Each structure stands twice: as C-alpha cells, then as structure tokens.
Amino acid sequence: MPFVLKCVLVALVGFAAAYDFRFRRIPNWLNLSGIVLGAGANTLLFARHGLEAALMGFGLALALYLPLYMLRAMGAGDAKLMSAVGSVVGPQNWVVIFLFTAIAGGILAVAVALSKKDLKRTFLNVAVLMNELTHFRAPAVRHESLDVKSQRSMRLPHGVSIAAGSVAFLILNSYLHL
C-alpha cells in the first residue's frame, strides 16, 4: 500500500476516533472526505484499476455494514466510515481491517462492560442477539437495550475500534505484507 494511502487512512480514522470518542458520532463531512480522498488518491496512483479497487472496497464495506445499521446494531456514521476506509484501502485490505476491527470492538466492549460492572448483562445481551439473528428477527425490535439508538444500550465509540483495527492492519502489513 503506498505511503500516501497509509497517510489518508491514518488521518481519516484518527479524526473519526477522536470525534466519536468525544461526541459519540462521526460527521458526514469526514466520511465524505475519506471517500473522495480514497477514490481520488487510488485513481491518481493506479488509474482505472485504482478507481475500481476504491469502488469495490466502498461497496463491500457498505454491503456488510448497511445490514448492521438497518438492524440498529451500528450507527450510520460507523457504516459510512467503514465505507470510506474501504475506498482508501480496497476490498482485500478492507477484509483484514474488518477482522481486526471486530477483534478491537470485542475487546473494547468487554473493557467497557467491566468498567461499568455490567459484564453479565453484556454476555446475556450477546446470547439474546445471537438467538434473535438465528431466527431472522431484528434484535432491537423486541429488546430495546440492543438498539444502538436507545438510552438503555451500552453505546461504544465504534470509530475507536475502526481506528484500532486500521492501525493494527498497517503495523502488521509493514511486517508481514498482508
């Protein structure tokens, strides 16, 4: 991955993490800037192939995160941020970032649950979530605490997890060439 794309990625997820941590939202101007910079930089660096990779990364991220948003498991800003990340790194690298983000999100969720002395309820919510999803039901419909927009839910700054997953990818990529 070229240095300029690494810089765009770090700036994008760094600003998003800081903003999400402080305000619990990710602004549209930042997500749109990431999408435009990702597609533009890839096009300048790799011509048509770069634009195609940016669009495929954007589309893959949107395809995976849009259902999470529709199930009220993820905020719209989180879905848009991951789409912006996809436009910067392309589909193959995005899949690795997605996996690292999921691990970082799980660690963050356990840490927050422990800090709030609410680990038992968190694991019960995961069980309910899995049960509802395996029965093809939207978890938030029957269980308000599983709705990311509810005051009763444990809201996490997913932008922080996305930043951690992206930085972990960059570090490991520099050593292992993922």
Side-chain angles (χ1 to χ4, degrees):
M1 204 166 118
F3 181 74
V4 68
L5 291 177
K6 291 176 184 179
C7 291
V8 169
L9 179 62
V10 168
L12 173 66
V13 299
F15 282 118
Y19 203 94
D20 198 17
F21 185 78
R22 175 136 189 223
F23 300 109
R24 291 298 195 269
R25 60 182 298 277
I26 302 169
N28 286 333
W29 65 263
L30 180 59
N31 291 324
L32 183 59
S33 298
I35 292 165
V36 170
L37 282 171
N42 273 297
T43 303
L44 286 173
L45 291 168
F46 304 111
R48 188 175 132 229
H49 178 71
L51 179 59
E52 289 171 355
L55 293 175
M56 287 191 296
F58 173 85
L60 177 62
L62 195 59
L64 287 174
Y65 267 72
L66 187 59
L68 292 172
Y69 167 71
M70 293 172 70
L71 289 170
R72 296 184 184 173
M74 193 72 53
D78 302 323
K80 291 180 269 189
L81 176 60
M82 277 303 261
S83 296
V85 168
S87 76
V88 174
V89 302
Q92 294 87 1
N93 291 335
W94 184 85
V95 170
V96 179
I97 289 173
F98 170 74
L99 294 173
F100 288 155
T101 296
I103 292 167
I107 292 169
L108 179 61
V110 169
V112 169
L114 282 171
S115 74
K116 293 184 177 197
K117 297 181 177 25
D118 210 7
L119 193 60
K120 181 179 176 182
R121 184 176 75 109
T122 299
F123 281 119
L124 288 173
N125 281 346
V126 170
V128 169
L129 177 77
M130 296 309 292
N131 181 57
E132 294 296 302
L133 291 175
T134 58
H135 289 91
F136 300 102
R137 296 187 295 245
V141 172
R142 293 174 47 170
H143 305 278
E144 182 187 354
S145 65
L146 297 177
D147 185 343
V148 73
K149 295 179 181 179
S150 169
Q151 294 298 324
R152 295 182 53 212
S153 70
M154 180 175 65
R155 297 185 57 191
L156 300 173
H158 192 58
V160 173
S161 302
I162 294 169
S166 298
V167 170
F169 164 77
L170 290 173
I171 291 169
L172 287 174
N173 189 0
S174 68
Y175 290 108
L176 303 176
H177 304 291
L178 298 173

